[in-house]
Amino acid sequence: MTAISSQRIKKIISDPPWGATLEIKGWLKSKRDAKDFSFLDVGDGSCIQGLQVIADSSLVNYQREIKKLTTGCSLRIVGVLQKSPAQGQNAELIAQEISVYGWADPDHYPLQKKKQSFEFLRSIPHLRGRTNSMGAMIRIRSRLSYAIHQFFQERGFHQLHTPIITTSDCEGAGEMFTLTALDLDQLVASPAKKVDYSADFFGQKASLTVSGQLEAETYAQALGNVYTFGPTFRAENSNTSRHLAEFWMVEPEMAFCDLEGDMNLAEEMLQFLIADLVNSCPDDLELFNRFVDKSLMTRLAKIKEAFTRLSYSEAIDHLLASKQAFEYPVSWGIDLQTEHEKYLTDSLFQRPVIVYNYPKNIKPFYMRDNDDGKTVAAMDVLIPGIGEIIGGSQREERLDILQQRMAECGVAEESYQWYLDLRRFGSVPHAGFGLGFERLVLFATGLSNIRDVIPFPRTPGSAAI
Ligand code: ATP
Ligand code: MN
């Protein structure tokens, strides 16, 4: 074997070293046989494009192996890079040596060249990453993740690793997964009809976190600006195309910040992330623009324009004035449903919309009371095609009002003494939000089902791989 180091196809295509002898390693996307040679389209996952390889019949293993190659086989190829005489083909590798790492029995390999539905691909999460669309999605997801850290780090935010195991329920919605080390089978068999959590691992009931916000608040009031980016878990039984039981959330928290500063950061962040993506992943985005959503690039370009901001009360007025028939009736005090959110973003304003000052009865205890006695300083960012992508608020920093809200919401003070301490000692106005990372990837790709923007989706009844 020739001793040269292998190169990624992305690099070869972006800056072709014409005439050089190169080694690539990857998987066969497709093969076409001509009279005295074969065209192999080989991909290695570094980019959407494959590299065309010319395998001449004079290769020693041509009859024995190369002619038998099928989609999915893994290969090592050494060859000379040359400009392709064919139109539309920039570079091709004239193979000198081809070795096969692994065969992929065409009778059983499920990813043949023909286009597969996203639904079918969901049944093979361990293999779907090899398709163009899922490969592109993961590269986009990875880049967005990188850009999130870049955005916050460049602005002096410190990353905070908040716990995944928690004993507080941030949203108070009771949609948490209980985490236990108790032997459930034994428990069922025992005569006591009540679970004794004091005998459990942590000496009290514990769950998987639904948000890192409350913990992030503690460090915002020490370091100023922090952000978390981690997995969150919600046992909500909503089998929709926008909900997962396990999803990733980005949560900045800022001391000395009010609701307006919070909205400004959310808008600036989304604009930064999309601009970065358009710049860094044009080929992957182009695939989605061509095959999934023809208005994708237009929508992404439009995010540069200022978001529309309006209060919840104004939003309700717009909904009441609209001629559209909604399934869920509109009146002041309702929680906005997806159809309402989409009316604002897709029909009325045709751009992202930030709705602020929601009725306090539909929001959690920690949001700051407004002077009107009816609303709290909450804000949701709604985006075209999806609806809510960000939920945030200014937090209640006044001890007495917070205690009153906790009582109203039935939140027991005992377990939140640490949270109240933040209001007892050097309390400051502060605000933050949570961005649903998968909803961002939905927006960035134009894909319509949240199960297609995370490698291994967890939804009700489904966590096989
Ligand atoms: P929704 O009303 O859409 O269920 P929410 O108001 O319960 O969302 P928040 O508690 O405000 O959500 O969480 C912040 C963000 O996390 C949301 O704006 C959304 O982008 C995302 N998110 C919330 N729940 C889920 C979920 N089950 N799967 C994926 N993303 C989610
Ligand atoms: Mn929300």
Side-chain angles (χ1 to χ4, degrees), residues 171 175 210-211 232 234 236 238 242-249 335-336 338 341 363 366 380-381 388-392 433-440 450:
E171 301 298 316
E175 291 168 334
V210 295
S211 159
T232 48
R234 297 194 184 177
E236 49 195 350
S238 42
R242 311 182 317 145
H243 290 90
L244 291 164
E246 176 181 295
F247 65 99
W248 289 70
M249 187 139 66
D335 207 353
L336 298 184
T338 307
E341 296 173 346
K363 291 292 181 186
Y366 52 75
D380 278 1
V381 180
E388 179 182 337
I389 189 172
I390 287 176
F433 61 76
L435 162 73
F437 185 55
E438 283 72 23
R439 300 231 178 132
L440 175 67
I450 201 160

Side-chain angles (χ1 to χ4, degrees), residues 88-103:
Q89 284 285 335
N90 299 325
E92 62 187 23
L93 197 63
I94 312 299
Q96 297 169 330
E97 232 181 281
I98 298 181
S99 41
V100 183
Y101 280 105
W103 296 89

Side-chain angles (χ1 to χ4, degrees), residues 351-382:
R351 63 178 63 227
V353 174
I354 310 183
V355 179
Y356 58 88
N357 290 348
Y358 280 80
K360 66 168 153 190
N361 296 340
I362 57 170
K363 291 292 181 186
F365 71 92
Y366 52 75
M367 296 189 175
R368 193 179 195 277
D369 247 14
N370 284 326
D371 293 340
D372 64 10
K374 297 192 303 189
T375 63
V376 286
M379 65 98 177
D380 278 1
V381 180
L382 318 176

